[in-house]
Amino acid sequence: MSRHWRAPFSLLLSAFLLPLCASAANSFENTAIVRIVDLGGALVHLTTTYAIRALEDGSNVYTIALGEQEHGHTSWLEAKLKGQTERLPLEDFGYHKDSGVYLYTVELPKALNVNQTANLVIETVQTHATYPWPEEAAQKDPQSLKYHSELLVLSPYKTAVQRTKIKSPSPQVHSYTTPESVEFTTDAVVTKAGATITYGPFYNIPPSATGTFVDKKQKEIVVHYALDFPVLEVTKLERAAEISHWGANLNIEDNYHFHNAGPRLKGHFSRLEHQSQGYFGRPAPHVIPSLQLHLPAGIHNVYYYDLVGNVSTSALRTTPSIPKGAEANRFSVLEMRPRYPIMGGWNYSFTLGWDSPLADYAGFDSKTGKYVVGVPIMTVIPGTVIDDAEVKIILPEGATDIDYYAPYPALSERISTHISYLDTVGRPKVTLKYKQLTDKHGGVIYVTYKVPSTAHLRKAIASATALLGFFALGLAVKRLDTRIRRK
Ligand SMILES: *[C@@H]1O[C@H](CO)[C@@H](O)[C@H](O)[C@H]1NC(C)=O
Ligand SMILES: *[C@@H]1O[C@H](CO)[C@@H](O)[C@H](O)[C@H]1NC(C)=O
Ligand SMILES: *[C@@H]1O[C@H](CO)[C@@H](O)[C@H](O)[C@H]1NC(C)=O
């Protein structure tokens, strides 16, 4: 969340949000809400489908409410119409004090008239929403987590029927809450079939995005389940991308701090135990022996070292560069082996870097006389959260007229000068900082700048039109800005 941005905004809010809410409450009703919660480790993915019906002609702004706990864990939120790929514009109205909820509005592509319906799909990703239970486990013990949630999906509109399905990644569900005295149903509040626990259906729920409703009717539920794969968190990622026109090279160097957020290892680590588990093909679920990373196509000079020195046990399979503008459907695959298996509660820090042909990432816009270079924000690791990320883009010496476009806003951003011993005047550097990135946050930061007298390179990357197309797309996406902001 950008603090300087939010403060004036919320002031503005109290002035006009109330009327907005009041009119919003009349303009729709939910004929059904279905929420599917896919439990995981560091990330939990939620898909909520709102079947909505307009109560007034010309209804085109739908309001979504997140409870405080839910909002606290949510790092990504996007809205689409069911079956479509285009994201709908979303506006973040922040915390609404009088109702104790966080509000977002979604703009429908076409206004609905009375009794017209639409299916709105809201996808969110929660981070740090689970924790290991028990908190400690011996090397051969299983791994289990707990997930807390609120029972009812809140909405400023009345809802005819709603249900929530919580899917455990393993059929082993140790326990789940059966809340007492829930209104809105005369049947079983919760049922379980295989790895899926279903809360509801609940009927005829009044507008629930209010403090009174939350205090009186909302319930907490907890699911305790087994997880057969490790809970990997990146507590810190520092990426430095160095653009060299001389070498026509883009060097990317990532400094990772990994943390195994599974149960803390009880007792000592036994390599023998670990090896015999590996031998029988059943490594403990809370041990991270290796990790597969999808690196870009066309890379070379890949290096990987930790505090002790070079690590040479890893396997790398590279794939040639992808033509500019084509879909990135090929990856180089690094099977990364830490120096030691990362046990529950342990950390491992290392540096991973590579070189790429600059032409794979750069374009020259002859209209503006500027170079455009697209730098990926991070290497996406499915199921993993990155708590703190810092992306530095180091431009060629003498670069001027610098602009940059991130796919979603950073918490802090600045342009400064990077001085290395080979430089005379230093090189401009763009630094962006983020928190709680998820596997939805892959994206490209586009930097544009001018550099005098590098005609040789200009020729090499002359056919930049495809990349510029992407760049324009990046700008369009930026305007939609679907990233949720939070502390
Ligand atoms: C909308 O639907 C309701 C119930 O089905 C019906 O009573 C009402 O007349 C409809 N309104 C319009 C404008 O069609
Ligand atoms: C790591 O290996 C690279 C080349 O493989 C070498 O240049 C470098 O000096 C080595 N670094 C250490 C710390 O051993
Ligand atoms: C792992 O790193 C975190 C911070 O990144 C730190 O709080 C924790 O103490 C570290 N754990 C160990 C076992 O060193």
Side-chain angles (χ1 to χ4, degrees):
M1 189 202 79
S2 52
R3 281 161 201 90
H4 54 280
W5 178 84
R6 175 94 151 248
F9 202 67
S10 48
L11 280 181
L12 201 126
L13 251 178
S14 28
F16 80 91
L17 192 66
L18 270 179
L20 178 129
C21 261
S23 75
N26 296 326
S27 51
F28 291 102
E29 67 176 16
N30 302 307
T31 49
I33 300 178
V34 177
R35 169 166 288 179
I36 294 173
V37 180
D38 281 304
L39 294 177
L43 303 183
V44 173
H45 289 84
L46 285 80
T47 308
T48 310
T49 305
Y50 298 80
I52 65 177
R53 186 161 76 111
L55 302 179
E56 288 173 355
D57 285 343
S59 302
N60 70 334
V61 176
Y62 182 88
T63 303
I64 301 166
L66 298 188
E68 276 189 73
Q69 181 190 325
E70 188 182 358
H71 179 267
H73 288 296
T74 301
S75 286
W76 174 265
L77 191 155
E78 69 179 23
K80 292 176 181 169
L81 284 180
K82 190 172 183 173
Q84 312 218 328
T85 52
E86 199 183 324
R87 284 188 208 146
L88 301 178
L90 204 69
E91 197 166 341
D92 178 354
F93 280 89
Y95 185 62
H96 190 227
K97 209 161 74 223
D98 294 339
S99 24
V101 296
Y102 290 80
L103 296 175
Y104 298 83
T105 57
V106 180
E107 199 183 307
L108 301 178
K110 216 169 102 229
L112 302 182
N113 287 334
V114 176
N115 285 354
Q116 281 189 317
T117 61
N119 286 315
L120 202 57
V121 181
I122 309 294
E123 265 191 74
T124 57
V125 183
Q126 298 184 343
T127 61
H128 299 286
T130 68
Y131 57 92
W133 197 263
E135 292 170 296
E136 290 195 339
Q139 208 167 324
K140 58 180 186 309
D141 288 349
Q143 166 179 263
S144 298
L145 305 183
K146 278 190 176 182
Y147 173 72
H148 286 243
S149 170
E150 284 135 352
L151 175 66
L152 298 164
V153 178
L154 302 179
S155 175
Y157 314 106
K158 67 178 200 272
T159 302
V161 56
Q162 73 158 255
R163 47 166 71 80
T164 295
K165 290 172 191 268
I166 303 182
K167 295 187 174 171
S168 160
S170 113
Q172 272 192 68
V173 177
H174 307 306
S175 69
Y176 53 92
T177 311
T178 304
E180 306 264 312
S181 50
V182 179
E183 291 176 38
F184 318 120
T185 179
T186 50
D187 291 336
V189 172
V190 55
T191 52
K192 177 174 171 292
T196 303
I197 303 146
T198 303
Y199 286 92
F202 303 116
Y203 299 99
N204 300 324
I205 302 161
S208 54
T210 68
T212 329
F213 184 94
V214 171
D215 287 347
K216 297 228 160 75
K217 319 270 171 161
Q218 187 62 292
K219 312 267 179 192
E220 182 165 64
I221 53 177
V222 184
V223 177
H224 188 203
Y225 60 103
L227 185 73
D228 295 333
F229 52 88
V231 186
L232 175 65
E233 291 178 359
V234 176
T235 46
K236 196 168 177 197
L237 166 67
E238 293 152 305
R239 163 163 285 196
E242 201 166 331
I243 300 168
S244 161
H245 280 210
W246 263 124
N249 189 55
L250 176 69
N251 171 263
I252 290 194
E253 184 167 295
D254 287 340
N255 202 336
Y256 281 102
H257 298 268
F258 274 6
H259 175 64
N260 181 337
R264 282 194 308 276
L265 177 67
K266 191 157 65 184
H268 290 288
F269 168 62
S270 153
R271 193 166 278 277
L272 191 66
E273 170 84 44
H274 175 67
Q275 278 164 353
S276 78
Q277 280 178 332
Y279 182 77
F280 291 110
R282 302 195 42 158
H286 45 80
V287 178
I288 305 172
S290 69
L291 190 73
Q292 214 186 54
L293 293 179
H294 280 185
L295 304 182
I299 60 175
H300 56 278
N301 294 343
V302 177
Y303 53 94
Y304 157 37
Y305 62 87
D306 63 12
L307 288 173
V308 181
N310 279 331
V311 185
S312 56
T313 51
S314 298
L316 174 72
R317 209 171 59 237
T318 55
T319 181
S321 295
I322 295 170
K324 227 168 355 200
E327 205 184 325
N329 55 359
R330 284 200 310 257
F331 305 96
S332 302
V333 178
L334 177 70
E335 185 74 33
M336 205 217 94
R337 276 195 171 269
R339 196 170 288 276
Y340 50 85
I342 311 170
M343 308 300 290
W346 290 14
N347 295 331
Y348 182 66
S349 300
F350 64 94
T351 299
L352 173 65
W354 61 82
D355 290 321
S356 296
L358 183 58
D360 288 2
Y361 297 88
F364 180 73
D365 184 353
S366 51
K367 269 202 231 89
T368 57
K370 290 177 89 172
Y371 289 92
V372 181
V373 179
V375 175
I377 289 189
M378 62 172 167
T379 296
V380 172
I381 311 174
T384 302
V385 59
I386 299 178
D387 289 339
D388 278 293
E390 181 184 273
V391 184
K392 274 188 264 186
I393 302 173
I394 302 156
L395 304 178
E397 195 171 350
T400 59
D401 302 88
I402 301 160
D403 277 310
Y404 54 91
Y405 309 87
Y408 38 85
L411 293 185
S412 83
E413 39 194 84
R414 67 195 186 102
I415 300 180
S416 55
T417 306
H418 176 90
I419 304 207
S420 82
Y421 72 103
L422 281 179
D423 298 334
T424 47
V425 294
R427 307 169 58 175
K429 177 176 72 173
V430 176
T431 306
L432 302 176
K433 290 188 183 177
Y434 294 99
K435 275 188 193 300
Q436 316 295 347
L437 298 183
T438 71
D439 49 20
K440 291 279 194 178
H441 287 101
V444 174
I445 302 168
Y446 290 97
V447 197
T448 67
Y449 55 90
K450 286 184 180 164
V451 186
S453 67
T454 43
H456 71 291
L457 182 77
R458 203 171 297 175
K459 210 175 285 167
I461 61 173
S463 66
T465 37
L467 187 93
L468 290 171
F470 268 123
F471 173 56
L473 196 72
L475 289 185
V477 169
K478 179 185 153 70
R479 267 189 279 115
L480 295 186
D481 179 15
T482 55
R483 178 166 154 75
I484 195 164
R485 298 146 206 274
R486 68 182 172 100
K487 278 202 184 75

